[in-house]
Amino acid sequence: MIMTTWQGVITIIMAMLGTMLTRFLPFLLFPESKEPPRFITYLGTVLPYAMTGLLVVYSLKGVRLTSGSHGIPELLTIIAIALLHIWKRNMLLSIAGGTAVYMLLVQLVFS
């Protein structure tokens, strides 16, 4: 389906407003001069771990231990990510390094 020019303009404006709303709303609701509610502080401490767990489960949902490479590339990648993170404590390095290790294993070793 092809959009008209006005539909495209309206789509861009709505995306811009949605992005601005989600970026600015937390600063309007919780100004720096006020302490945020305890529930929000709690979510700020718990959600990063919950999201990490969710990503691990999502990443491993398609692994079949009874076929193919038996989950060996995934296991080696998890070990590499853990070691990288323990060594450098850098989330971006852990993500990039884990991605690189997995791609190398899948493309070169377990192909």
Side-chain angles (χ1 to χ4, degrees):
M1 177 177 185
I2 298 175
M3 284 197 264
T4 66
T5 302
W6 283 111
Q7 288 173 333
V9 169
I10 290 171
T11 301
I12 291 170
I13 290 171
M14 295 306 288
M16 179 187 69
L17 289 174
T19 302
M20 288 174 62
L21 179 70
T22 58
R23 300 290 178 161
F24 298 147
L25 192 60
F27 295 103
L28 295 173
L29 292 176
F30 309 112
E32 234 179 289
S33 59
K34 279 178 50 179
E35 186 168 327
R38 286 189 324 167
F39 181 69
I40 300 299
T41 305
Y42 170 75
L43 287 178
T45 57
V46 171
L47 281 180
Y49 300 108
M51 289 305 300
T52 302
L54 178 74
L55 287 172
V56 169
V57 169
Y58 180 76
S59 298
L60 297 176
K61 73 176 173 46
V63 175
R64 302 281 177 248
L65 299 177
T66 58
S67 65
S69 58
H70 305 290
I72 295 170
E74 290 82 3
L75 178 65
L76 292 175
T77 303
I78 290 171
I79 292 169
I81 291 170
L83 291 175
L84 265 174
H85 197 71
I86 290 169
W87 177 44
K88 287 292 185 180
R89 298 261 182 225
N90 184 329
M91 187 68 73
L92 291 177
L93 177 65
S94 301
I95 293 168
T99 302
V101 167
Y102 182 73
M103 286 294 119
L104 288 171
L105 286 173
V106 171
Q107 297 294 325
L108 301 176
V109 180
F110 293 95
S111 56

